[in-house]
Amino acid sequence: MSSALYFTHKGILFPNKEYDVETLNFVENEFQLLDDDVLNVTYPKSGTNWMQEILGLIWHNGDPSWVHSSFVWDRSPWIESTHGMKIALASPPPRLMASHMPFQLFPKSFLQSKAKVIYTLRNPKDVLVSFYHHSKIFKIFKDPGTVEEFLEEFLSGNVMYGSWFDHVKSWLEVKGRPNVFFNSYEELQQDLRGSVEKICLFLGKELNSQQIDSVVENASFQKMKDNPKSNYTAVSDDILDHKKGKFLRKGKSRASWVSSVATCAFAGGIVGDWKNHLTVAQNERFDRVYQEKMRRVSVTFPWD
Ligand code: A3P
């Protein structure tokens, strides 16, 4: 593991750029969540930015002007990054924020607050493929090597933000709390409107039918891909190598996606892309580790 790119905090890897131990400790122990805060929490590559867009649109009753005028990392800052924490501290309530933290490193103040968390899960095999692609294009991440090599790193939790299994299990511990809403990338794909309605209910936001239509329309893969404030094209070349690929990969909204999936090495924004990347043996290896690590979890997931 390249020490120049990452550091370890409480057993979990973080990138040196944009993260430091002081901020991570502040987030966990001192950052005060307020009752009207809303936090979008995910393990990386689980649909974080999609949920940012959905929440940004709901926040403004379906009006897309905000998501078209403010960068995603400013309108909903990642509290554990140095940049994000500065913005979060300067933002007036009610605040919309994001985090990839496992529950044990999340602000302790959450347990005494009514702040709302929306936790979005995704099939870990698709997370793995998306993470692999992401690590190829982001220069602040270690090159993932081959899929075989990255599979082993992912299964052992030797990746940014640690183990998918530990992350999900940490958040499942608080799933029953009234201020925690669980949701999945697969559900968003299957029924975006239904998911938006459920999220509105959870947030206590009453949007009319046209406003919900606008949220659904403006949170589509294609609209996000066309939105320079959400598609990461503004990220500088020293962080994201735009020549190697796009942050938002090819989505199912494009008419050609079915034929492309079979041929394009990096088709994405879809459910089940792992089938285009993992060999039978790799899939079996994944399943063995999954079954072992998740054997005490009684929740049924959309991919089960
Ligand atoms: P793929 O890499 O499989 O394409 P995160 O935001 O947590 O980093 O997750 C990124 C994944 O969400 C990427 O998956 C990306 O394409 C997908 N995504 C982002 N916006 C989406 C949208 N509007 N509809 C469907 N998928 C979306």
Side-chain angles (χ1 to χ4, degrees):
M1 190 56 57
S2 165
S3 56
L5 288 176
Y6 301 147
F7 65 94
T8 304
H9 175 69
K10 303 196 174 179
I12 292 180
L13 290 177
F14 292 92
N16 274 317
K17 201 167 171 69
E18 284 289 332
Y19 294 78
D20 60 39
V21 172
E22 199 189 347
T23 307
L24 297 180
N25 278 327
F26 178 81
V27 168
E28 183 188 344
N29 299 307
E30 291 171 60
F31 184 48
Q32 290 305 311
L33 289 179
L34 308 173
D35 285 349
D36 52 8
D37 285 339
V38 173
L39 293 112
N40 171 28
V41 182
T42 53
Y43 183 82
K45 311 319 293 172
S46 302
T48 326
N49 287 272
W50 194 4
M51 187 54 73
Q52 314 278 70
E53 206 80 346
I54 294 167
L55 292 174
L57 289 158
I58 291 176
W59 216 244
H60 288 267
N61 303 316
D63 179 353
S65 357
W66 193 44
V67 300
H68 287 159
S69 59
S70 172
F71 284 112
V72 60
W73 48 83
D74 289 334
R75 67 179 115 100
S76 168
W78 267 264
I79 54 173
E80 59 269 15
S81 75
T82 46
H83 172 82
M85 180 43 81
K86 273 188 213 128
I87 297 190
L89 289 172
S91 302
R95 301 177 295 188
L96 185 56
M97 296 174 283
S99 176
H100 286 317
M101 287 305 227
F103 188 68
Q104 72 275 13
L105 301 184
F106 195 69
K108 285 195 169 73
S109 61
F110 176 67
L111 290 171
Q112 284 83 49
S113 82
K114 294 193 177 101
K116 290 184 172 154
V117 162
I118 296 178
Y119 186 80
T120 307
L121 297 141
R122 186 183 190 186
N123 184 336
K125 292 178 188 170
D126 284 335
V127 170
L128 161 79
V129 168
S130 186
F131 214 153
Y132 178 79
H133 167 74
H134 185 96
S135 308
K136 283 254 179 225
I137 63 172
F138 270 88
K139 291 182 181 168
I140 60 169
F141 285 4
K142 184 188 159 216
D143 184 284
T146 62
V147 171
E148 181 81 21
E149 286 163 346
F150 191 69
L151 170 73
E152 290 308 321
E153 301 274 46
F154 183 85
L155 291 177
S156 61
N158 201 21
V159 290
M160 304 310 318
Y161 286 97
S163 155
W164 179 90
F165 306 98
D166 292 347
H167 200 281
V168 168
K169 284 190 278 188
S170 78
W171 278 97
L172 281 173
E173 292 284 318
V174 288
K175 184 173 182 279
R177 293 177 75 92
N179 54 343
V180 177
F181 178 82
F182 263 64
N183 172 62
S184 71
Y185 182 90
E186 289 74 17
E187 286 167 275
L188 295 175
Q189 282 280 19
Q190 203 183 0
D191 179 11
L192 184 53
R193 197 170 211 287
S195 295
V196 169
E197 284 168 353
K198 283 187 208 155
I199 294 165
C200 286
L201 200 63
F202 172 69
L203 296 179
K205 288 283 284 182
E206 285 182 24
L207 268 57
N208 65 33
S209 184
Q210 280 162 337
Q211 290 168 331
I212 289 181
D213 287 345
S214 174
V215 174
V216 172
E217 189 194 327
N218 286 290
S220 74
F221 188 89
Q222 197 55 47
K223 285 272 183 179
M224 280 181 62
K225 209 172 163 78
D226 295 339
N227 180 359
K229 301 292 183 191
S230 306
N231 65 14
Y232 281 66
T233 49
V235 175
S236 65
D237 278 319
D238 60 322
I239 294 182
L240 202 167
D241 190 340
H242 295 280
K243 290 192 290 300
K244 284 195 177 162
K246 292 187 166 39
F247 182 80
L248 284 159
R249 300 190 298 148
K250 194 175 293 174
K252 74 169 183 175
S253 56
R254 290 171 66 125
S256 61
W257 82 270
V258 176
S259 57
S260 309
V261 164
T263 52
C264 175
F266 287 126
I270 56 174
V271 169
D273 191 31
W274 65 267
K275 291 177 190 151
N276 297 307
H277 294 266
L278 299 188
T279 63
V280 172
Q282 287 165 349
N283 183 37
E284 285 172 1
R285 161 105 180 104
F286 196 112
D287 284 344
R288 276 196 303 278
V289 175
Y290 183 94
Q291 273 147 27
E292 165 59 23
K293 300 227 186 234
M294 302 298 278
R295 70 182 193 287
R296 291 191 211 285
V297 174
S298 54
V299 175
T300 304
F301 299 105
W303 53 86
D304 281 335

